[in-house]
Every structure is written in C-alpha cells, then in structure tokens.
Amino acid sequence: QVHLVESGGGSVQAGGSLRLSCDYSGWIYSGYCMAWFRQGPGNEREGVASIDSDGRARYVDSVKGRFTITLDRAKGTLLLQMNILKPEDSGMYFCAVDDYPVCDRALRTGGVDFVHWGRGTRVTVSS
C-alpha cells in the first residue's frame, strides 16, 4: 500500500522560504512520477512541480526559478524548496505518486491521472 505524508507547511511573509517534505513508502516500481500539487481557496487543484524516474524535473511557469523539487530515494522523501514566496503561492500542498508516463502531462492536468495522494500541508503567505 502506498503511503504519503506531507509536512513543512506554515505561515510566512512574502519573500520568505519554506521547505515541504513528503515521506513516502510502498511504491515498488522502478518507474515513477512524483509531483507536488496545490489548491488555493476557491481554486482548482494545479500542478506545481514533478520529477520522474529519469530525474527530469518540471515546473509550472509561475514557480520557475523560485521552487526546486528533489527526491531522496534512500530516505523515501520528496522535497519542495520554495523561495521568494508570494501570496498567490498560498494553499494546500499535496504530494502524489504514479506511473512514469503521467509525468509528461501531470502539471497541465491537475493530477487527474494520480491515484496515490497525501493529505496535504497548508502554506500561507502574507503580503
């Protein structure tokens, strides 16, 4: 059974930084796509960043240059370093994992292809 638990959310002022962690277990396949999604109040879920089993990282345009996604397979942890945070980055952040092929469109489709999700961690950025 796949299990994902996010942590690291909190409240920060604009321009600040946070690092989100997603501890995962139970994914037994060599191919994978792991991703971060977020959902702000009244908004649809959107893709933020993804990383696949080839090591390719992808980002939504709004976070390029500010966010970095990394994966520590030895520790079973997916990280999202978020710098220069803006109020529009606020929301509930979720990590998800699924098969490698979904990475190609994961950030454009809001994660509809993902079956395995964590419960989320909240990020609040004040101006």
Side-chain angles (χ1 to χ4, degrees):
Q1 185 174 3
V2 179
H3 194 54
L4 304 103
V5 180
E6 302 93 338
S7 62
S11 296
V12 65
Q13 288 190 327
S17 298
L18 285 173
R19 188 175 77 163
L20 304 185
S21 296
C22 173
D23 293 323
Y24 67 92
S25 60
W27 185 260
I28 63 173
Y29 305 106
S30 59
Y32 56 83
C33 176
M34 299 201 72
W36 287 97
F37 298 86
R38 66 187 179 191
Q39 187 166 17
N43 296 334
E44 294 185 352
R45 189 175 61 204
E46 64 170 344
V48 176
S50 67
I51 188 165
D52 62 29
S53 43
D54 288 337
R56 178 178 177 180
R58 298 173 173 89
Y59 300 91
V60 67
D61 286 346
S62 62
V63 308
K64 285 181 180 177
R66 300 189 297 123
F67 290 12
T68 303
I69 186 171
T70 55
L71 178 64
D72 187 333
R73 294 194 64 187
K75 294 184 178 179
T77 302
L78 178 71
L79 299 171
L80 185 69
Q81 178 66 43
M82 307 188 296
N83 299 327
I84 318 175
L85 282 161
K86 303 176 181 180
E88 51 264 42
D89 294 319
S90 297
M92 186 70 80
Y93 281 69
F94 303 90
C95 65
V97 62
D98 220 286
D99 289 333
Y100 171 86
V102 306
C103 252
D104 190 45
R105 62 175 192 166
L107 302 188
R108 301 192 304 272
T109 57
V112 295
D113 298 309
F114 287 75
V115 174
H116 309 287
W117 292 85
R119 292 189 175 184
T121 186
R122 186 169 297 279
V123 172
T124 303
V125 184
S126 58
S127 58

